[in-house]
Amino acid sequence: MNDMTPITTTLKDWETDQEVRWCPGCGDYAILKAVQRTLPQLGANPANTVFVSGIGCSSRFPYYVESYGFHTIHGRAPAFATGIKLANPDLDVWMVTGDGDGLSIGGNHLMHVLRRNVNLQILLFNNEIYGLTKGQYSPTSRVGTKSPSTPLGSVDRPANPCAFALGAGARFVARGFDVSKKLPEVLIAAHAHQGAAFIEIFQNCIVYNKDVFDDFAAPKGAEDQQLWLEDGQPMLFAGGAKGISLDRDLLELKVVDVIDGDWEAAGVIVHNVKNRSIAHMLVELPFGAFPMALGVLYDDPRPTFEEGVIAERAKASEGKVADLAKLLGKGQTWTVSAETAADPV
């Protein structure tokens, strides 16, 4: 995402001296390590890197990465990140948020950072619950979720983070999960994207929503329920025994069997990261009848917000001389003399 002079760092260079204060077994530990291991591969520079977060378990992230960091206020990380990027477009800005922080109080701010296409990486940790505030249901909690705020079960239909991102105009949308060995690949792709790169990361809350993603994100045994997408490659899963095809009459995706590895005969479609229509279909696939679509679902860059702002500033200042005194004296002004200064108010 950012053109930087590569430097050599290691995992240790990105670890801080702060005690990591998440619950033992929390999926955030795995995500933190994935990010810390990926940053050296990117040639990232701690002196040029900024992590910005809001409020929640995930938002403790800046304390644990040896870089600049802002732990801001609930739902407002996108606004802070936008300001940081506009103030210094050369900074490599990462934004960390959760399903509650980013899609409830922060939903409007998240929508606009995506719509504007600010050049940064957005990691949304989705554990389908409010963890820091003791287990209330969140915007992504499933229907029937029992929690302190929904003791009889939630009746809300959950928000779909990736569908939200696409609807807001995001040009890069991806999915991964906390313990996946492929998560660094997704992070690398997001960083290479010029513009707002949105990644939903399924994260296991060991205390309030334990193992809710095990059907497709368990460390072992769930591989057949994962559809890892790769640009230019057929949409295969279950070890290549099944694939995703497009029903051209109904204009919807369907699962097909692949016989003897002949995916073309089965009608399996090839993933194209620039196909926005298929990306919409992929993020809406109902899990169970379909596998979980993971990896880079959509990647189609367009000019970034800060590029437009910089061009506008350059045009506005063209041929002009900076003169603060003249600017302050422009328009209606008053001269204060000794006599008027003595007048009663």
Side-chain angles (χ1 to χ4, degrees), residues 30 64 87 99-101 136 160 165 173 178 222 237 247 249 253 263-264 322 340 344:
Y64 309 137
D99 48 303
D101 179 64
Q136 302 95 318
N160 181 325
V173 176
D178 47 15
F237 67 101
D247 186 322
D249 293 326
L253 300 179
W263 58 268
E264 290 178 294
T340 57

Side-chain angles (χ1 to χ4, degrees), residues 83 107 113 160 204 229 240 278 291 295 302 318 332 341:
V113 77
N160 181 325
N204 187 27
L229 299 161
I278 294 295
R302 70 177 181 190
E318 186 177 353
Q332 292 182 320

Side-chain angles (χ1 to χ4, degrees), residues 130-208:
Y130 277 102
L132 186 66
T133 47
K134 307 301 182 279
Q136 302 95 318
Y137 86 116
S138 83
T140 59
S141 294
R142 304 174 193 188
V143 173
T145 297
K146 293 185 178 181
S147 75
S149 54
T150 54
L152 300 180
S154 169
V155 297
D156 282 3
R157 292 193 62 83
N160 181 325
C162 287
F164 171 89
L166 283 169
R171 309 297 297 187
F172 180 101
V173 176
R175 275 196 190 128
F177 59 91
D178 47 15
V179 296
S180 171
K181 294 180 180 179
K182 295 187 178 182
L183 182 57
E185 297 176 16
V186 179
L187 297 173
I188 291 170
H191 192 267
H193 177 84
Q194 290 292 316
F198 178 87
I199 309 173
E200 176 187 13
I201 305 175
F202 297 108
Q203 177 258 326
N204 187 27
C205 178
I206 197 75
V207 175
Y208 297 110

Side-chain angles (χ1 to χ4, degrees), residues 1-2 4 48-53 68 70 77-78 80-96 113 118-123 190-191 195-197 306:
M1 175 175 280
N2 299 276
M4 299 180 296
N48 196 59
T49 303
V50 185
F51 278 81
V52 185
S53 67
Y68 290 104
F70 291 81
F80 282 86
T82 300
I84 292 166
K85 194 67 180 179
L86 288 178
N88 187 350
D90 291 332
L91 291 175
D92 187 12
V93 180
W94 298 71
M95 195 194 97
V96 181
V113 77
V118 182
N119 194 14
L120 47 78
Q121 297 79 233
I122 301 167
L123 312 183
H191 192 267
E306 57 270 31

Side-chain angles (χ1 to χ4, degrees), residues 325-336:
K326 184 178 179 181
L327 178 64
L328 293 174
K330 185 178 180 180
Q332 292 182 320
T333 60
W334 292 265
T335 300
V336 180

Side-chain angles (χ1 to χ4, degrees), residues 12-340:
K12 292 293 184 183
D13 293 315
W14 295 95
E15 295 177 336
T16 70
D17 60 358
Q18 298 295 301
E19 177 188 0
V20 182
R21 298 178 63 186
W22 288 315
C23 301
C26 175
D28 287 355
Y29 286 96
I31 302 172
L32 174 63
K33 286 302 178 186
V35 171
Q36 289 172 327
R37 289 191 177 101
T38 301
L39 289 166
Q41 298 180 52
L42 301 173
N45 183 350
N48 196 59
T49 303
V50 185
F51 278 81
V52 185
S53 67
I55 294 296
C57 295
S58 64
S59 293
R60 297 194 60 80
F61 213 87
Y63 293 102
Y64 309 137
V65 181
E66 188 59 52
S67 68
Y68 290 104
F70 291 81
H71 187 181
T72 69
I73 52 181
H74 209 354
R76 271 62 178 185
F80 282 86
T82 300
I84 292 166
K85 194 67 180 179
L86 288 178
N88 187 350
D90 291 332
L91 291 175
D92 187 12
V93 180
W94 298 71
M95 195 194 97
V96 181
T97 186
D99 48 303
D101 179 64
L103 293 173
S104 184
I105 190 171
N108 56 334
H109 294 277
L110 183 58
M111 175 182 74
H112 293 301
V113 77
L114 293 169
R115 173 182 65 83
R116 287 172 170 152
N117 200 34
V118 182
N119 194 14
L120 47 78
Q121 297 79 233
I122 301 167
L123 312 183
L124 186 142
F125 297 10
N126 181 11
N127 56 19
E128 296 187 2
I129 208 76
Y130 277 102
L132 186 66
T133 47
K134 307 301 182 279
Q136 302 95 318
Y137 86 116
S138 83
T140 59
S141 294
R142 304 174 193 188
V143 173
T145 297
K146 293 185 178 181
S147 75
S149 54
T150 54
L152 300 180
S154 169
V155 297
D156 282 3
R157 292 193 62 83
N160 181 325
C162 287
F164 171 89
L166 283 169
R171 309 297 297 187
F172 180 101
V173 176
R175 275 196 190 128
F177 59 91
D178 47 15
V179 296
S180 171
K181 294 180 180 179
K182 295 187 178 182
L183 182 57
E185 297 176 16
V186 179
L187 297 173
I188 291 170
H191 192 267
H193 177 84
Q194 290 292 316
F198 178 87
I199 309 173
E200 176 187 13
I201 305 175
F202 297 108
Q203 177 258 326
N204 187 27
C205 178
I206 197 75
V207 175
Y208 297 110
N209 215 14
K210 185 179 179 182
D211 300 335
V212 71
F213 303 119
D214 264 9
D215 286 346
F216 66 87
K220 294 181 180 179
E223 293 81 6
D224 284 357
Q225 296 302 315
Q226 300 169 10
L227 172 63
W228 281 100
L229 299 161
E230 185 177 347
D231 190 33
Q233 296 300 314
M235 295 186 188
L236 298 170
F237 67 101
K242 294 181 180 295
I244 302 296
S245 179
L246 176 63
D247 186 322
R248 287 172 169 77
D249 293 326
L250 299 176
L251 289 181
E252 62 183 22
L253 300 179
K254 62 181 181 180
V255 174
V256 293
D257 293 323
V258 177
I259 308 301
D260 296 329
D262 193 348
W263 58 268
E264 290 178 294
V268 175
I269 59 176
V270 172
H271 185 44
N272 178 359
V273 292
K274 295 185 183 297
N275 191 322
R276 192 175 186 87
S277 297
I278 294 295
H280 275 284
M281 294 182 187
L282 287 168
V283 302
E284 296 283 4
L285 290 178
F287 179 72
F290 290 86
M292 181 59 66
L294 300 164
V296 178
L297 290 86
Y298 182 62
D299 183 359
D300 190 12
R302 70 177 181 190
T304 65
F305 181 59
E306 57 270 31
E307 288 173 341
V309 171
I310 291 169
E312 183 181 59
R313 289 173 180 170
K315 184 177 181 180
S317 60
E318 186 177 353
K320 297 179 181 179
V321 178
D323 189 334
L324 181 60
K326 184 178 179 181
L327 178 64
L328 293 174
K330 185 178 180 180
Q332 292 182 320
T333 60
W334 292 265
T335 300
V336 180
S337 65
E339 294 179 357
T340 57

